[in-house]
Amino acid sequence: MNLGLKTPILPAGEAAVRQAARLLAEGGLVAFPTETVYGLGADATNPAAIARLYQAKGRPAFNPLIAHVGDIGAAMQIGRFDAHAARLAEAFWPGPLTLVLPKTKGCPVADLATAGLETVAIRVPAHSLARDILRAFARPVVAPSANLSGHVSPTTAAHVQSDLAGKIDLIVDGGPVEVGVESTIVGCFEQPMLLRPGGLPRGDIERVLGRTLAQLPEDAGSDSGQPLAPGMLASHYAPRTRVRLNAESVEAGEALLAFGSHAVPGVDAATIAMNLSPRGDLAEAAANLFGYLRSLDARGARGIAVMPVPHHGLGEAINDRLRRAAVGRE
Ligand code: TXA
Ligand code: MG
């Protein structure tokens, strides 16, 4: 087990995949890229490894984890698919979609990973490196985002190192991720329900289902006692610097997180500014979001003024993460 101050980083490749699978089998913690964000993997069947994972992230153990598997066949060993779930898996896996399903009878995922719920969250990631590791390990891997609990999710290996150095055993570096926000989570209950907007736009899902997704009740978050979405803590993806949403202008001492090409009143030569997508492209903005929040957070500004981002397509997930970044920090 790694006890040093830094965690070894291996470049993508066969050696890294072999080492990752070996460490997972020993109960180790391995960070690896998925197409959405970097995940911190542990053997989903090993309670000791999962306990260490919660500890490394500083994550409350009542917040369950997503089990990652290589294909639908492996997913069916874990969760019970109804017709909606089967249709979604068929249409969108591998990809940035997580399904919450009732557990199967012999579900191999440890109770600690599902926080004692009767349901389990499952995802088949699309990133080739994640898939190679899952194939080599041949068991489900639980993987939350590879950040300290409450920080923004990592989109590069360097972000993982800066949050978790010395607390985990290996980081596999596959370069910056493609999507940049976490997977969309759909609960396959009586009515399919959107539990977390994410990298797969709601419209794509509704088109395949031929119906609208039910909406999570407003009070279904952390302390409502509602088990539907235990992880939807109101303040979650939060930088330390105060975040001000829907800013139409920049105030003195604020940094600017811009979107699109219009001029913003208050910007001068001293303003620290980053633009999520000068051409107004939501996919580009999603890919840049967490990295830019991290950079701006490190600049010591009085606050971060965020320009409005349109709410359609990936904008729903971007606005969800921005809203959480703005909650509860002063
Ligand atoms: O894109 C992603 O989903 C990334 C990559 C690494 O796959 N993973 C990720 O994991 O975002 P995490 O742990 O940061 O977020 C998982 C969310 C949490 O909010 C958790 O509460 C929710 O999934 N979740 C897990 N199991 C659940 C369940 N049985 N019912 C409802 N929500 C569940
Ligand atoms: Mg997370």
Side-chain angles (χ1 to χ4, degrees), residues 39-91:
L40 178 59
D43 179 352
T45 68
N46 179 340
I50 296 163
R52 218 182 129 224
L53 190 158
Y54 278 110
Q55 198 179 25
K57 272 187 64 94
R59 175 171 172 131
F62 57 75
N63 189 3
L65 305 169
I66 299 172
H68 295 66
V69 291
D71 54 46
I72 299 187
M76 288 172 73
Q77 313 271 311
I78 298 177
R80 295 209 311 270
F81 284 71
D82 64 6
H84 292 308
R87 205 168 308 144
L88 292 178
E90 184 66 33

Side-chain angles (χ1 to χ4, degrees), residues 60-130:
F62 57 75
N63 189 3
L65 305 169
I66 299 172
H68 295 66
V69 291
D71 54 46
I72 299 187
M76 288 172 73
Q77 313 271 311
I78 298 177
R80 295 209 311 270
F81 284 71
D82 64 6
H84 292 308
R87 205 168 308 144
L88 292 178
E90 184 66 33
F92 298 116
W93 279 351
L97 172 70
T98 293
L99 297 176
V100 172
L101 306 174
K103 284 183 185 173
T104 56
K105 269 220 163 53
C107 179
V109 176
D111 284 342
L112 184 54
T114 56
L117 298 174
E118 295 301 315
T119 55
V120 59
I122 312 176
R123 170 160 125 76
V124 178
H127 196 289
S128 62
L129 204 44

Side-chain angles (χ1 to χ4, degrees), residues 60-204:
F62 57 75
N63 189 3
L65 305 169
I66 299 172
H68 295 66
V69 291
D71 54 46
I72 299 187
M76 288 172 73
Q77 313 271 311
I78 298 177
R80 295 209 311 270
F81 284 71
D82 64 6
H84 292 308
R87 205 168 308 144
L88 292 178
E90 184 66 33
F92 298 116
W93 279 351
L97 172 70
T98 293
L99 297 176
V100 172
L101 306 174
K103 284 183 185 173
T104 56
K105 269 220 163 53
C107 179
V109 176
D111 284 342
L112 184 54
T114 56
L117 298 174
E118 295 301 315
T119 55
V120 59
I122 312 176
R123 170 160 125 76
V124 178
H127 196 289
S128 62
L129 204 44
R131 296 178 64 71
D132 287 347
I133 291 170
L134 290 170
R135 200 172 304 116
F137 183 55
R139 280 206 288 275
V141 170
V142 283
S145 50
N147 52 279
L148 288 173
S149 187
H151 282 193
V152 294
S153 292
T155 55
T156 66
H159 295 161
V160 179
Q161 187 74 281
S162 95
D163 267 24
L164 296 172
K167 296 181 170 169
I168 64 176
D169 302 299
L170 175 67
I171 301 169
V172 182
D173 187 354
V177 300
E178 194 186 318
V179 178
V181 291
E182 302 85 347
S183 61
T184 302
I185 305 183
V186 173
C188 294
F189 312 132
E190 246 149 81
Q191 294 195 35
M193 181 182 276
L194 184 66
L195 299 180
R196 176 176 76 180
L200 180 66
R202 167 210 294 272
D204 295 16

